[in-house]
Amino acid sequence: MDNNNANIKVSVIMPVYNASRFLSSAIDSVLSQSYSDFELILIDDCSKDNSYEILKEYEASDNRVKIFKNKHNKGVSYTRNFGVSKAKFDYVALIDSDDMWDKDKLKKQLEIIKKFPQTDIVYTGSAFVDTESVRSDFVFSVPTCVTYKKLLKQNVMSCSSVLIKKKWLIKYPMAHDNMHEDFAVWLSVLKDGGTAKGIDEPLLIYRVDRNSKSGNKLKSMMMTYRVYKFIGLNFFSRFYYLVFYILSGIKKHGSI
């Protein structure tokens, strides 16, 4: 563990639903972090495969792992919010059950927090793999800082890359699964005066599933429109920023 950041502890939250195919890779990438002072909160959303059995094995082998199970299938927004309610520490890192982290991801983010303690969100760039774990040549670069108005044009904060102060996730819980619920949170934080800094390194390995809500381009576009509506943009502003979203989406995913 990096002793320079020994006073900062992190709650890592991973929602899990029918994730057995990639689950171990995701969990292993967290547990093998070079910065080790964290808890890993795993919440099973009533999976129909053997995901919960996998979670129990990890809980038995590592005391940083804490598992929970929803009584009924609730969706990813509820499940992440539940994880936040169980988090012990002031910083929260989010990761989906099919994504992975570079081993120095948390360490490098905490170095930013140490240098700029007023920072509310630290996000990173991304590398990409497909469902067969084949890595793309494309790397998503991110700016070292982003404002509310700039974020409206392009969501540069991949959910699984974000480290955020827990107080913001309490103030702005994730709302609806029929939109990009994480994007709505980031916008709400920045609109409310929060600050964000980026690390332009692919510390997130993002798994691209063409059948997912982010992989389906038309569906993703509609979900982005709902985000703009949710945060209170007027009709014309929604379409104005949607044009930027479409153009940035072509740039981001065009070579994958």
Side-chain angles (χ1 to χ4, degrees):
M1 184 178 68
D2 186 348
N3 291 327
N4 290 331
N5 291 318
N7 60 326
I8 302 177
K9 296 184 178 181
V10 178
S11 295
V12 181
I13 296 173
M14 181 188 297
V16 176
Y17 179 68
N18 291 347
S20 60
R21 182 178 177 187
F22 306 116
L23 184 55
S24 291
S25 295
I27 294 175
D28 288 342
S29 78
V30 176
L31 296 180
S32 62
Q33 287 291 295
S34 57
Y35 181 85
S36 60
D37 204 355
F38 59 82
E39 62 175 353
L40 174 56
I41 299 171
L42 303 163
I43 312 104
D44 182 72
D45 193 21
C46 295
S47 295
K48 298 176 181 179
D49 61 8
N50 66 328
S51 291
Y52 190 65
E53 285 68 33
I54 295 173
L55 300 187
K56 289 192 290 185
E57 292 176 4
Y58 277 98
E59 184 181 46
S61 64
D62 194 313
N63 60 14
R64 295 174 296 177
V65 174
K66 299 173 177 63
I67 66 170
F68 300 90
K69 187 172 185 177
N70 293 337
K71 292 182 179 179
H72 307 285
N73 180 262
K74 294 287 191 176
V76 70
S77 294
Y78 173 94
T79 303
R80 288 200 190 108
N81 293 338
F82 177 80
V84 172
S85 75
K86 296 298 181 180
K88 292 183 178 180
F89 305 129
D90 292 335
Y91 287 88
V92 169
L94 302 168
I95 181 171
D96 289 340
S97 57
D98 55 352
D99 294 333
M100 295 172 287
W101 286 347
D102 178 273
K103 66 181 180 64
D104 291 326
K105 189 254 189 190
L106 288 180
K107 176 184 176 182
K108 290 184 177 182
Q109 289 181 303
L110 291 171
E111 288 171 352
I112 296 293
I113 296 296
K114 180 186 175 185
K115 188 174 181 180
F116 305 101
Q118 299 306 312
T119 302
D120 297 289
I121 303 174
V122 183
Y123 55 95
T124 81
S126 305
F128 297 85
V129 296
D130 63 16
T131 53
E132 302 302 321
S133 297
V134 177
R135 190 156 177 161
S136 169
D137 293 332
F138 176 74
V139 172
F140 180 57
S141 295
V142 295
T144 55
C145 62
V146 66
T147 63
Y148 169 70
K149 288 188 176 181
K150 288 183 178 179
L151 193 65
L152 281 169
K153 295 180 178 180
Q154 181 183 15
N155 181 13
V156 296
M157 300 187 198
S158 297
C159 187
S160 292
S161 83
V162 163
L163 177 71
I164 183 172
K165 290 181 178 178
K166 184 176 68 173
K167 67 177 185 179
W168 289 112
L169 295 178
I170 294 172
K171 186 172 185 179
Y172 296 110
M174 298 197 179
H176 307 295
D177 288 354
N178 67 344
M179 66 177 181
H180 294 303
E181 66 287 336
D182 55 320
F183 186 27
V185 173
W186 318 148
L187 286 169
S188 298
V189 171
L190 295 187
K191 187 177 182 181
D192 195 16
T195 59
K197 291 188 179 297
I199 301 174
D200 191 18
E201 298 179 40
L203 303 180
L204 164 65
I205 299 94
Y206 181 90
R207 195 175 302 275
V208 179
D209 182 353
R210 300 299 182 186
N211 296 316
S212 72
K213 67 181 184 181
S214 57
N216 185 309
K217 298 299 185 293
L218 179 60
K219 184 176 181 180
S220 183
M221 181 178 70
M222 293 305 301
M223 295 176 78
T224 300
Y225 178 85
R226 294 186 190 111
V227 169
Y228 295 150
K229 184 176 181 180
F230 177 81
I231 63 170
L233 293 185
N234 64 42
F235 180 81
F236 295 104
S237 293
R238 292 173 218 162
F239 279 96
Y240 172 80
Y241 285 109
L242 198 61
V243 170
F244 287 98
Y245 163 81
I246 294 170
L247 295 175
S248 63
I250 293 171
K251 181 180 178 181
K252 180 177 180 181
H253 296 293
S255 60
I256 298 175

